[in-house]
C-alpha cells in the first residue's frame, strides 16, 4: 500500500535534494575550466540529483538574429534535443516558451503541455517522448541573458511552487558561477599580461548586482586572509571605499549571529573547496546586512584564493518573516481558511478547516470545495457567488454544508479573489466561521417567540370563549331542570351540557398554554413526586414498556402546583406510550443543572420509540397540532405541558430523530419562590 507523502515530507525531501545538488555543483565550479563545463554539470545534476527526466542548456548567440545553441544535455530520452540552433523570434512557433523565457528574461513553467493552445512540432515531439511538463530558466550575466537552462518531467504538474523557486535560485547560482569562471580566466590572463581581457573582466566584475570579494586563503584560517580584490557593488553595499576594504579581512566583517560558525565554515572550505553560508556582515555605518555567501577556492600560480559571491537577502528575510507571521496568524486563527486556484481547486486549508469539516488537508488538496455541499442550498447562491468573485468582487453569505461524517453545519463566509501584478485573478480565499450554534439559537428564539404569540392569542381567545360557554352551560342546565326527563327536549339539553363540558376542557387547555390559568404553588421535592408517580406511570404505559427511574441524590425542592405537575408527568408518559406501540424503555432521570447564576431541577423523559422528523419536532408544542388519526387526540397535550412549565418559570426542550427515540428535558428553578 502506497502512502501519499505529506506537504511537510515533500518540503523536507526537496531540501535534501537541494543540499546534495549545491554540494556537487560547488565542486564542479571549483574546478571548471569554462562555462560549457558548468552547463554540462548543471544538466547532469538536475537529472541525477533532483530527479528530473530530461535537462538541457544552451548559450545565446547573436548574428543577424538571436539564437539558442544547445550545448549540454542529460536524461533518459537520447536525441530529444535537435542539435541545430533554435531561432528566438516571437513570430516563430518553434521558439515556444523557451524563447519566451529568453526574450522576457524570466522563468516560464508549463505544467501540462497538452493544455497549451498553439501546438507546434516541439510540443508533439515532447509529448511523444512521454514528457508532459517543463520549466525554462534564463541565465543572466552582466544583466543580460547569455544562456538558457531547461528541465522536463514525465509527470503532469511536475513543478510545484517550491521546486520552481529552487530552480530559479539554481539559475542565479549558475549565473554567479559563470561570472566566477570568467573572473578566474581573466585573472589568469592578467598574470600573462593580457590587458584587453583584464579590462573586459573589470566590466563584468564591477557591474554585477552581487558583491564579489577575492581574498587570500591561509592554511590555518580560511577567512583570515586579506582582501586582494573587491567589486564596486561590495563597496556600495558596505559603505567602504575600495582602499578601506583592501585593508580588511572577512573575519573582521563577520558578526556572530548564531547561524554562521566561522570556524566550521573555514574547515569546510579548506576540506572541500566550497561553502554556502548565511551570515550577518557589519557595514561601515554599524548596520548589519543579512547575506547569503557562496565561497569557492582557486589557485593562481603558487597562491590559493577564495572568491565569495555575496547576495543581499534583506528583502528575502523580510518576506519570509512576513510569510511566517501570516502563516502563524492563519494557522492559529479561529476561522476556517480555504485557498483555491482560479478554477476552484483547493491549494491550502488551515487546521480550523480540518477541525470543522473532519477532512484532513491531504484529503482535500486538489479537490473542489463542492465536496462540502449538502444539497440544502438554493443553486442560485453558488451561481451568484461565482459571478461575484470571478468579476473581482467580494462575496459574503452563509452556507449549510456537510462534514465528512455527514453531519450538517452552518458557516458564515467571506470569499474574495487574489490578483497578480497584471490584474489577473490567480487565487480565491475563503474565510469561514462556524455559526451552527448561532443558527440553532436563532431557531429556538423564533420558535419561542412564535409559541408566545400563539399563547397570547390562545389565552385571550379561550378567556372570551369560556365566558360564552358559561352562559350556554347555565341556560342549558336550567332547561334540563325544567324539562320532563322523558321528553326529547330534555335529551337535547343533556347533549348540550356534554358539549359544554368538552368545550370547557378545551378552553382550560388553551388557558393553561397561554399561562392564564390560576394555580396554587407549594414547595415540592421533584424526586419525591417522581417516586410517588412511578407506579401510576407504569399503569399508563403498556406492559411491554419498561420504566426505568434514575433519581438524583440531591434534594430538588421547587415551588410548583402539585396537580399541574401531575398533569405534565401524565401527558409525557402518555406520549411515550404512543411512540412505542411495539414496546421499549422509558427512562426518567432527575438531576440538578447549573445555568449561569441559577440552579435548576431537571427531569429527562427518554423513550426508545419511533422518534420524529425535524418538521414535526418544531411544531409539537403548537395548540391543536397532532400526528394522531382524527378523533384520537385534540393536539393540546404538549401545549398544556409547555404552558405549565413556562408558567412555573421553567423551560422544556425536545430532541428527537426518526428511528432514534425522543428526549424531553424539563427544567424548573431550584428552591426559588414561584412568581405569579
Amino acid at each position: 500500500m502506497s502512502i501519499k507523502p505529506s506537504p511537510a515530507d515533500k518540503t523536507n525531501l526537496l531540501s535534501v535534494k537541494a543540499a546534495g545538488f549545491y554540494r556537487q555543483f560547488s565542486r564542479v565550479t571549483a574546478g571548471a575550466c569554462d562555462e560549457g563545463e558548468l552547463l554540462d554539470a548543471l544538466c547532469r545534476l538536475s537529472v541525477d540529483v533532483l530527479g528530473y527526466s530530461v535537462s538541457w542548456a544552451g548559450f545565446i548567440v547573436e548574428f543577424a538574429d538571436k539564437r539558442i545553441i544547445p550545448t549540454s544535455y542529460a536524461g533518459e530520452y537520447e536525441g530529444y534535443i535537435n542539435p541545430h540552433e533554435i531561432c528566438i523570434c516571437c513570430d516563430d512557433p518553434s521558439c515556444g516558451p523557451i524563447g519566451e523565457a529568453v526574450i522576457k528574461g524570466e522563468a516560464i513553467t508549463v505544467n501540462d503541455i497538452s493544455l497549451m493552445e498553439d501546438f507546434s512540432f516541439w510540443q508533439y515531439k515532447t509529448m511523444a517522448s512521454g514528457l508532459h511538463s517543463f520549466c525554462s530558466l534564463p541565465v543572466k550575466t552582466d544583466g543580460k541573458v547569455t544562456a538558457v537552462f531547461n528541465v522536463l518531467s514525465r509527470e503532469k504538474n511536475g513543478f510545484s511552487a517550491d521546486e520552481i523557486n529552487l530552480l530559479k535560485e539554481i539559475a542565479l547560482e549558475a549565473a554567479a558561477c559563470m561570472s566566477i569562471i570568467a573572473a578566474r580566466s581573466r585573472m589568469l590572463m592578467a598574470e600573462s599580461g593580457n590587458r584587453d581581457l583584464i579590462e573586459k573582466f573589470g566590466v563584468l566584475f564591477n557591474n554585477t548586482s552581487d558583491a564579489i570579494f577575492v581574498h587570500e586563503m591561509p592554511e590555518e584560517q580560511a577567512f583570515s586572509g586579506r582582501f586582494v580584490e573587491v567589486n564596486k557593488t561590495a563597496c556600495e553595499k558596505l559603505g567602504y571605499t575600495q582602499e578601506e576594504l583592501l585593508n580588511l579581512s572577512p573575519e573582521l566583517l563577520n558578526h556572530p549571529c548564531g547561524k554562521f560558525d566561522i570556524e566550521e565554515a573555514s574547515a569546510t572550505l579548506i576540506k572541500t573547496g566550497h561553502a554556502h553560508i548565511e551570515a550577518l556582515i557589519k557595514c561601515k555605518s554599524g548596520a548589519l546586512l543579512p547575506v547569503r555567501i557562496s565561497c569557492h577556492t582557486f589557485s593562481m600560480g603558487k597562491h590559493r584564493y577564495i572568491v565569495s559571491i555575496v547576495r543581499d537577502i534583506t528583502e528575502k528575510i523580510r518576506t519570509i518573516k512576513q510569510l511566517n507571521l501570516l502563516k502563524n496568524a492563519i494557522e492559529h486563527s479561529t476561522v476556517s481558511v480555504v485557498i483555491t486556484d482560479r478554477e476552484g481547486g483547493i491549494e491550502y486549508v488551515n487546521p480550523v478547516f480540518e477541525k470543522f469539516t473532519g477532512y484532513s488537508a491531504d484529503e482535500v488538496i486538489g479537490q473542489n470545495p463542492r465536496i462540502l455541499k449538502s444539497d440544502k442550498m438554493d443553486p442560485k447562491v453558488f451561481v451568484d457567488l461565482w459571478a461575484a468573485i470571478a468579476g473581482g468582487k467580494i462575496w459574503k453569505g452563509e452556507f449549510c454544508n456537510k462534514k465528512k461524517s455527514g453531519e450538517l453545519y452552518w458557516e458564515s463566509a467571506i470569499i474574495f479573489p487574489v490578483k497578480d501584478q497584471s490584474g489577473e485573478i490567480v487565487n480565491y480565499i475563503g474565510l469561514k466561521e462556524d455559526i451552527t450554534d448561532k443558527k440553532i439559537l436563532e431557531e429556538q428564539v423564533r420558535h419561542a417567540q412564535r409559541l408566545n404569540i400563539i399563547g397570547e392569542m390562545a389565552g385571550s381567545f379561550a378567556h372570551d370563549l369560556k365566558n360564552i360557554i358559561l352562559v350556554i352551560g347555565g341556560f342549558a342546565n336550567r332547561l334540563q331542570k325544567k324539562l320532563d326527563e322523558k321528553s326529547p327536549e330534555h335529551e337535547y339539553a343533556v347533549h348540550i351540557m356534554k358539549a359544554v363540558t368538552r368545550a370547557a376542557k378545551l378552553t382550560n387547555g388553551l388557558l393553561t398554554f397561554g399561562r392564564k390559568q390560576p394555580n396554587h404553588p407549594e414547595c415540592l421535592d421533584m424526586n419525591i413526586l417522581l417516586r410517588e408517580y412511578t407506579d401510576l406511570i407504569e399503569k399508563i404505559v403498556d406492559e411491554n414498556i419498561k420504566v426505568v427511574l434514575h433519581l438524583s441524590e440531591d434534594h430538588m425542592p421547587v415551588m410548583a402546583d402539585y396537580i399541574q405537575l401531575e398533569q405534565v408527568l401524565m401527558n409525557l408518559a402518555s406520549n411515550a406510550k404512543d411512540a412505542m406501540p411495539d414496546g421499549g424503555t422509558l427512562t426518567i432521570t432527575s438531576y440538578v443543572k447549573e445555568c449561569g447564576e441559577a440552579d435548576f431541577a431537571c427531569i429527562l423523559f427518554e423513550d426508545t420509540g419511533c422518534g420524529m422528523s425535524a418538521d414535526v419536532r418544531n411544531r409539537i408544542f403548537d395548540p391543536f397540532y397532532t400526528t394522531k388519526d382524527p378523533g384520537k387526540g385534540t393536539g393540546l397535550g404538549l401545549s398544556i405541558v409547555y404552558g405549565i412549565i413556562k408558567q412555573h418559570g421553567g423551560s422544556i426542550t425536545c430532541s428527537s430523530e426518526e428511528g432514534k427515540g425522543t428526549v424531553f428535558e424539563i427544567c424548573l428553578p431550584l428552591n426559588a419562590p414561584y412568581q405569579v
Side-chain angles (χ1 to χ4, degrees):
M1 180 180 71
S2 63
I3 300 176
K4 182 180 179 182
S6 67
D9 292 336
K10 292 179 180 178
T11 301
N12 292 336
L13 179 60
L14 187 62
S15 299
V16 171
K17 289 182 177 180
F21 178 94
Y22 279 122
R23 186 165 54 251
Q24 296 189 45
F25 188 66
S26 297
R27 292 195 188 104
V28 172
T29 302
C33 298
D34 56 43
E35 293 92 335
E37 186 177 345
L38 191 74
L39 292 185
D40 288 342
L42 188 65
C43 294
R44 176 175 52 80
L45 294 176
S46 298
V47 173
D48 294 346
V49 178
L50 298 183
Y52 293 110
S53 303
V54 172
S55 178
W56 69 273
F59 288 100
I60 312 301
V61 296
E62 294 187 35
F63 299 107
D65 56 7
K66 185 181 291 187
R67 295 176 178 273
I68 301 173
I69 308 295
T71 60
S72 305
Y73 177 85
E76 56 192 284
Y77 301 103
E78 293 185 6
Y80 165 70
I81 297 299
N82 191 322
H84 301 295
E85 307 108 31
I86 299 173
C87 179
I88 302 176
C89 174
C90 292
D91 297 326
D92 184 353
S94 66
C95 167
I98 295 172
E100 183 181 355
V102 174
I103 293 169
K104 292 184 176 180
E106 59 186 39
I108 300 295
T109 302
V110 176
N111 263 323
D112 191 347
I113 296 173
S114 65
L115 297 180
M116 296 184 68
E117 295 180 358
D118 297 325
F119 265 67
S120 60
F121 77 89
W122 70 265
Q123 290 168 289
Y124 288 113
K125 185 174 182 179
T126 301
M127 294 179 64
S129 299
L131 302 169
H132 293 90
S133 56
F134 73 88
C135 183
S136 181
L137 305 107
V139 179
K140 296 181 181 180
T141 55
D142 196 20
K144 183 179 179 181
V145 178
T146 56
V148 64
F149 162 52
N150 309 281
V151 287
L152 299 94
S153 172
R154 291 193 303 268
E155 306 294 333
K156 291 182 180 180
N157 299 314
F159 298 92
S160 66
D162 289 339
E163 288 177 288
I164 294 170
N165 288 334
L166 172 62
L167 291 171
K168 288 180 179 178
E169 290 186 4
I170 288 173
L172 290 173
E173 185 74 8
C177 290
M178 288 174 72
S179 296
I180 293 172
I181 291 171
R184 186 187 303 161
S185 299
R186 285 168 174 76
M187 292 181 74
L188 292 171
M189 292 288 186
E191 257 191 359
S192 66
N194 192 328
R195 300 300 178 186
D196 290 337
L197 290 179
I198 291 176
E199 184 178 348
K200 291 180 180 179
F201 162 74
V203 173
L204 175 65
F205 187 72
N206 284 306
N207 286 279
T208 179
S209 60
D210 292 328
I212 300 177
F213 299 83
V214 181
H215 63 90
E216 298 170 334
M217 182 180 175
E219 293 184 1
E220 67 282 356
Q221 170 54 267
F223 294 102
S224 61
R226 67 179 183 85
F227 291 120
V228 296
E229 187 65 77
V230 294
N231 70 348
K232 185 169 64 175
T233 304
C235 299
E236 292 172 350
K237 289 284 185 183
L238 301 186
Y240 290 99
T241 64
Q242 188 177 41
E243 291 73 21
E244 289 172 327
L245 281 176
L246 293 179
N247 288 318
L248 299 175
S249 65
E251 62 182 0
L252 296 177
L253 297 179
N254 175 58
H255 175 77
C257 62
K259 287 185 177 181
F260 169 46
D261 184 335
I262 194 168
E263 298 293 339
E264 181 180 346
S266 177
T268 300
L269 194 58
I270 292 172
K271 182 179 179 180
T272 66
H274 61 274
H276 296 280
I277 53 182
E278 286 191 3
L280 288 176
I281 57 177
K282 293 177 285 190
C283 300
K284 184 177 181 180
S285 64
L288 298 178
L289 183 69
V291 294
R292 185 177 188 277
I293 308 173
S294 294
C295 302
H296 307 275
T297 63
F298 67 95
S299 299
M300 193 165 62
K302 297 181 180 180
H303 301 285
R304 293 188 73 195
Y305 297 91
I306 297 172
V307 59
S308 299
I309 302 171
V310 180
R311 181 167 297 154
D312 183 351
I313 59 172
T314 303
E315 193 59 38
K316 177 183 176 181
I317 290 177
R318 183 184 296 115
T319 301
I320 292 173
K321 184 177 180 180
Q322 290 174 343
L323 289 174
N324 285 336
L325 288 173
L326 182 60
K327 180 181 178 183
N328 286 331
I330 291 175
E331 293 193 347
H332 292 87
S333 170
T334 58
V335 300
S336 169
V337 179
V338 181
I339 302 177
T340 74
D341 58 28
R342 61 181 299 168
E343 283 75 36
I346 296 175
E347 294 184 343
Y348 171 84
V349 294
N350 71 339
V352 176
F353 173 92
E354 297 177 297
K355 178 182 175 183
F356 281 174
T357 67
Y359 287 101
S360 68
D362 287 343
E363 288 177 303
V364 299
I365 298 299
Q367 299 283 346
N368 190 286
R370 69 172 64 95
I371 64 172
L372 301 175
K373 285 181 67 175
S374 64
D375 297 326
K376 300 292 184 183
M377 300 291 296
D378 184 345
K380 187 175 182 299
V381 172
F382 300 101
V383 173
D384 293 343
L385 184 160
W386 277 104
I389 61 177
K393 298 179 181 178
I394 298 175
W395 183 89
K396 297 180 181 180
E398 296 178 351
F399 296 117
C400 179
N401 278 341
K402 183 169 62 177
K403 300 182 180 181
K404 182 180 179 181
S405 63
E407 178 187 352
L408 298 180
Y409 71 103
W410 279 91
E411 58 185 6
S412 174
I414 299 176
I415 303 175
F416 54 90
V418 177
K419 300 179 181 180
D420 60 15
Q421 293 180 343
S422 66
E424 290 292 320
I425 294 175
V426 292
N427 291 98
Y428 296 106
I429 297 179
L431 307 178
K432 304 178 180 182
E433 182 181 6
D434 190 332
I435 57 170
T436 306
D437 292 341
K438 178 183 174 183
K439 281 287 186 180
I440 293 173
L441 182 60
E442 287 176 352
E443 181 58 32
Q444 290 174 344
V445 169
R446 281 195 294 269
H447 187 242
Q449 289 174 338
R450 181 170 60 85
L451 288 178
N452 285 337
I453 293 171
I454 294 174
E456 287 294 325
M457 294 174 61
S460 299
F461 170 75
H463 186 271
D464 293 339
L465 184 60
K466 186 174 183 179
N467 292 332
I468 297 172
I469 291 172
L470 286 173
V471 173
I472 296 172
F475 282 111
N477 186 46
R478 291 179 65 181
L479 283 173
Q480 188 178 356
K481 289 178 180 180
K482 289 185 177 182
L483 293 171
D484 184 354
E485 292 184 2
K486 296 182 180 180
S487 66
E489 289 79 6
H490 184 274
E491 185 179 351
Y492 298 156
V494 171
H495 285 303
I496 293 173
M497 285 302 297
K498 288 181 180 179
V500 166
T501 302
R502 289 196 300 271
K505 288 183 179 179
L506 288 175
T507 54
N508 286 335
L510 289 173
L511 286 171
T512 301
F513 176 73
R515 286 166 269 166
K516 295 188 177 182
Q517 186 79 333
N519 53 68
H520 306 284
E522 56 183 304
C523 188
L524 303 172
D525 190 299
M526 294 293 288
N527 285 330
I528 295 175
L529 181 66
L530 290 172
R531 204 175 286 117
E532 289 177 350
Y533 274 88
T534 302
D535 292 340
L536 182 58
I537 290 172
E538 288 177 341
K539 291 177 181 178
I540 291 175
V541 300
D542 294 336
E543 293 181 356
N544 57 355
I545 295 176
K546 182 181 179 181
V547 178
V548 179
L549 193 64
H550 297 299
L551 297 181
S552 169
E553 296 181 358
D554 299 322
H555 292 293
M556 298 175 61
V558 296
M559 291 297 293
D561 186 304
Y562 187 90
I563 295 175
Q564 290 187 347
L565 281 191
E566 175 187 338
Q567 191 175 5
V568 168
L569 298 178
M570 295 306 104
N571 268 316
L572 292 178
S574 177
N575 271 19
K577 169 191 172 183
D578 294 338
M580 296 184 287
D582 299 324
T585 302
L586 172 61
T587 304
I588 304 173
T589 307
S590 68
Y591 56 94
V592 174
K593 182 169 72 172
E594 181 179 345
C595 292
E597 298 180 357
D599 292 334
F600 288 82
C602 300
I603 305 173
L604 279 187
F605 269 73
E606 303 177 74
D607 68 56
T608 58
C610 58
M612 59 185 106
S613 67
D615 291 338
V616 172
R617 187 179 66 245
N618 290 335
R619 297 192 60 193
I620 56 173
F621 296 122
D622 291 1
F624 304 115
Y625 178 76
T626 179
T627 58
K628 298 177 182 178
D629 294 334
K632 292 188 177 181
T634 62
L636 283 175
L638 287 176
S639 302
I640 291 172
V641 169
Y642 177 85
I644 291 172
I645 298 303
K646 285 294 183 181
Q647 196 168 8
H648 283 75
S651 65
I652 178 169
T653 58
C654 173
S655 59
S656 181
E657 290 185 44
E658 290 184 288
K660 296 185 179 181
T662 300
V663 179
F664 285 96
E665 182 188 50
I666 297 170
C667 296
L668 295 176
L670 186 66
N671 199 23
Y674 166 74
Q675 299 294 327
V676 181

